[in-house]
Amino acid sequence: MSAGGDGKHSLNVSSKVRLPRLSVDQYVKGVRENNRTVLAQAITLVESNSAAHMEMAQEVIRQLLPHTGNSIRIGVSGVPGAGKSTFIEAFGTMLCDKGHRVAVLAVDPSSTVTRGSILGDKTRMELLSRNPQAFIRPSATGGTLGGVNRKTRETMLICEAAGYDVILVETVGVGQSETTVRSMVDFFLLLMLTGAGDELQGIKKGIMEIADALLIHKADGENRTRALIAKGEYNRVLHYLQPATAGWETKAYMCSSVTGEGIPEIWDVIGQFRETTMKSGGFEARRKAQLLDWMHSMAQDYLRATFFGNPQVAQLLPTIEQAVASGELSPTSAVQQLVAIYEKAIRND
């Protein structure tokens, strides 16, 4: 990220985005009418790193805001090999068959170069991607102002304004991606595998603590018995963990995307979650807290960009880094020097 000395964020435009010359009104009208071409173009506008595109995108978002917030936002994560894309295709297809409109967003904040396995996800979700009731879109990160947090959230709002009432946010990476997605969804679903005794050793307690439900996937054939055992093991562990959502008890369930068993039941669980948290006020409280978290993270990203992008700071940074690495300068003294240089540069401007 870079920033000019004038205090305005100068975004990374290394990858220039060519967009059709649509007006704000045309973007808004196209999204509201669920014109899939305009919808895709509006998301590209939001993802663009161009300052001019960003300004227009914010006006589009502003006009679409009254038409957002009417979906259930579901985060889907899982251990490697758990079959997230297979599950999402089966789950999304079932929801489309029930009359819902489903948007799938893939997120990988850990990768700014390869963008994870997004293209592979679209290929694996071939059936769902052809469904007229579904919309699948990778969510770019790019390491720019707001990064995955801003772009995915705004893409989600655009999809809601287009009439998609179920938003599935799939984490492609691991680690950071789970907590990032947790901060922008209503319900967080963690996919697990059979053989709980083995998997429990490799699962961080923190990941289980942010889940609203654990779903043992691939519970078919010979795996079904093992899945039942795993379900019991996970439920015993969950009993001692703090629930991710106040007033809701996180439990383990099982399903198979091959046979379809358990897929409708997990949708019922999400429905119960929504009803319970709406009655308690937790649903609205979480969304308000997420908006404030979004605002604070954007402010932090902006300050980080302006600080490290300042020409004087950027010029001196390698020398100070070398002094810290060699032990000639303490990290605290280094920061004090950099801040003094930055504040002097700001005053002179």
Side-chain angles (χ1 to χ4, degrees):
M1 287 183 283
S2 62
D6 59 359
K8 295 181 180 180
H9 53 264
S10 174
L11 300 175
N12 180 2
V13 290
S14 58
S15 54
K16 295 182 179 179
V17 179
R18 293 185 179 180
L19 288 165
R21 294 184 177 180
L22 297 181
S23 66
V24 169
D25 289 344
Q26 286 173 319
Y27 276 119
V28 172
K29 183 174 183 292
V31 169
R32 292 290 296 133
E33 293 176 350
N34 192 28
N35 180 316
R36 294 171 75 89
T37 301
V38 177
L39 174 61
Q41 291 168 350
I43 294 173
T44 301
L45 179 72
V46 162
E47 292 178 345
S48 172
N49 298 331
S50 161
H53 289 164
M54 192 174 182
E55 185 176 350
M56 177 180 269
Q58 291 313 301
E59 179 57 25
V60 171
I61 293 292
R62 189 188 69 79
Q63 294 193 25
L64 290 175
L65 270 177
H67 309 288
T68 65
N70 298 318
S71 75
I72 179 73
R73 304 163 181 172
I74 305 167
V76 181
S77 188
V79 297
K84 295 189 295 292
S85 295
T86 305
F87 167 76
I88 288 174
E89 177 158 60
F91 187 58
T93 300
M94 180 206 70
L95 292 176
C96 290
D97 290 343
K98 285 179 173 287
H100 294 282
R101 295 178 59 199
V102 180
V104 180
L105 310 179
V107 173
D108 182 9
S110 64
S111 172
T112 60
V113 179
T114 64
R115 297 187 181 176
S117 57
I118 286 170
L119 293 178
D121 288 335
K122 290 197 74 172
T123 302
R124 289 197 297 273
M125 293 187 223
E126 186 177 353
L127 181 63
L128 186 60
S129 65
R130 292 199 306 263
N131 195 308
Q133 294 290 100
F135 180 79
I136 300 177
R137 175 80 179 199
S139 189
T141 57
T144 58
L145 179 66
V148 66
N149 208 306
R150 174 182 70 82
K151 294 179 179 183
T152 304
R153 287 178 187 267
E154 293 181 353
T155 298
M156 191 158 49
L157 293 176
I158 291 172
C159 289
E160 288 179 344
Y164 292 93
D165 63 322
V166 180
I167 311 292
L168 300 176
V169 185
E170 177 191 6
T171 66
V172 177
V174 292
Q176 180 188 351
S177 57
E178 277 84 5
T179 52
T180 301
V181 171
R182 168 77 274 184
S183 72
M184 63 180 74
V185 298
D186 307 310
F187 187 94
F188 191 82
L189 180 64
L190 184 61
L191 265 61
M192 312 300 287
L193 292 167
T194 56
D198 295 330
E199 270 76 46
L200 281 172
Q201 302 302 318
I203 297 167
K204 292 183 179 178
K205 177 184 172 185
I207 300 299
M208 294 180 68
E209 284 181 328
I210 65 173
D212 293 305
L214 266 63
L215 185 60
I216 296 118
H217 194 211
K218 303 182 181 180
D220 48 62
E222 295 180 356
N223 274 339
R224 196 175 188 284
T225 301
R226 288 193 290 267
L228 282 168
I229 296 171
K231 178 182 173 182
E233 291 290 332
Y234 287 128
N235 276 326
R236 276 191 282 276
V237 173
L238 290 168
H239 180 72
Y240 295 101
L241 298 182
Q242 182 75 21
T245 303
W248 175 258
E249 185 179 359
T250 301
K251 294 182 180 179
Y253 306 88
M254 48 188 273
C255 80
S256 167
S257 294
V258 175
T259 66
E261 182 181 2
I263 300 289
E265 285 73 17
I266 198 63
W267 177 240
D268 291 339
V269 169
I270 293 170
Q272 292 164 16
F273 171 89
R274 190 177 192 176
E275 182 179 354
T276 300
T277 54
M278 279 189 165
K279 283 182 179 178
S280 68
F283 192 91
E284 184 180 0
R286 170 171 280 166
R287 286 204 172 180
K288 286 181 177 179
Q290 288 176 346
L291 286 173
L292 293 177
D293 175 69
W294 184 9
M295 181 191 75
H296 285 291
S297 67
M298 284 287 291
Q300 290 166 5
D301 287 337
Y302 171 78
L303 292 173
R304 188 180 300 112
T306 54
F307 180 82
F308 287 106
N310 180 271
Q312 287 89 335
V313 171
Q315 183 178 3
L316 192 61
L317 187 60
T319 302
I320 289 185
E321 285 178 337
Q322 186 174 1
V324 171
S326 63
E328 298 173 18
L329 189 65
S330 73
T332 301
S333 297
V335 171
Q336 289 174 338
Q337 286 188 29
L338 289 170
V339 170
I341 292 165
Y342 176 74
E343 290 180 341
K344 182 179 180 181
I346 294 299
R347 286 195 299 269
N348 291 338
D349 286 345

